[in-house]
Amino acid sequence: MSVPDTPPGTRRRPAPRRRLATVAALVTSLAAALVLPGLGLSVPSPAYADSAVGRDIRTGLPGTALTWGGNHRGQLGDGNTAGSATVPGRVCGNATCTAPLDKAVQVAAGDGHSIALLEDGTVLGWGNNASGQLGDSTKTDRATPVRVCAVGEPAPCAGFLEGVTSIGAGDSHTIAVARPLADLATSIGASPEPVANGGTLTYTVRVHNYGPTSAEDVVLTDHLPTTVRYAGATPSTGHCDTPPTGTTNTVTCHFGTLARGGAATVTIAVKVRSTGSVTNVVSATGTTPDPRPVNNSAAITTPVG
């Protein structure tokens, strides 16, 4: 079959099928760049491949970390530091390997170390730790995952990194993006109900931190109703700034830091000066961003009779 002549200096356009093949080749090259040796790149779950050290680390459903390949520094996280694995195995979820590491949402690997981001925003690391890349404030290799310490924590760490949204790893270093968030929720109860006019009414106020990180500088504010008189306040932690006994003003309790899942309470006693009902509104705030401020306040109405 003859090919039509092309004027000099004119480039022939490739056939449609050839153009598709060219585009496919470009896409393949871009995808391969994610796993080129020495890049130390991480890819959000479900997969991360590290061809620089000849091993893969992937998350299987539902959020279970799986590893295989070389294990000379404990980078498989299976409790061993020798040999290799030619098929995927589960990473240990604790120091005794009695449970697998699950609830992982992202994984990354460097030259002999691995890290995992869990759904609660905490980070685990295992394997080579010669440069402190596991973040546990030591330089000891780990054959099972350990939690990454909070910023500035010396060994043994009393606090751990929280609120992490993304992780990555290089040959001998690890990086993370953290965004602290603390969901404070306030509740209030009153006793007795009903209360007699002139009697003592005791409020029990609770502030709970649902996380995912610690809540800093938590403060509870209670603008006492004008129909009561302050009698006393007892916080479970921190201290309260109170008005003089027998007056009506604001009670402000400073609880300090509440860990994720932690709570603080205060009992506030007042003398009732009303013949109808008493409504009290309390609210809590903190310096850590709160994703759900709608539950920071609570109110209760107590009948008087």
Side-chain angles (χ1 to χ4, degrees), residues 172-268:
S172 57
H173 73 283
T174 304
I175 57 176
V177 176
R179 184 189 178 198
L181 290 173
D183 178 16
L184 295 177
T186 304
S187 61
I188 183 172
S191 179
E193 288 188 308
V195 62
N197 184 18
T200 299
L201 179 62
T202 301
Y203 293 108
T204 300
V205 185
R206 184 174 186 265
V207 180
H208 187 279
N209 176 22
Y210 287 97
T213 68
S214 297
E216 304 292 335
D217 301 319
V218 177
V219 176
L220 174 76
T221 302
D222 184 357
H223 298 292
L224 293 176
T226 58
T227 52
V228 303
R229 300 293 181 266
Y230 172 76
T234 305
S236 63
T237 186
H239 70 279
C240 294
D241 298 327
T242 61
T245 300
T247 65
T248 297
N249 210 316
T250 300
V251 176
T252 304
C253 296
H254 303 265
F255 295 140
T257 300
L258 291 184
R260 181 182 75 241
T265 60
V266 58
T267 56
I268 301 173

Side-chain angles (χ1 to χ4, degrees), residues 122-133:
T122 59
V123 181
L124 301 177
W126 61 95
N128 182 9
N129 200 26
S131 299
Q133 56 265 53

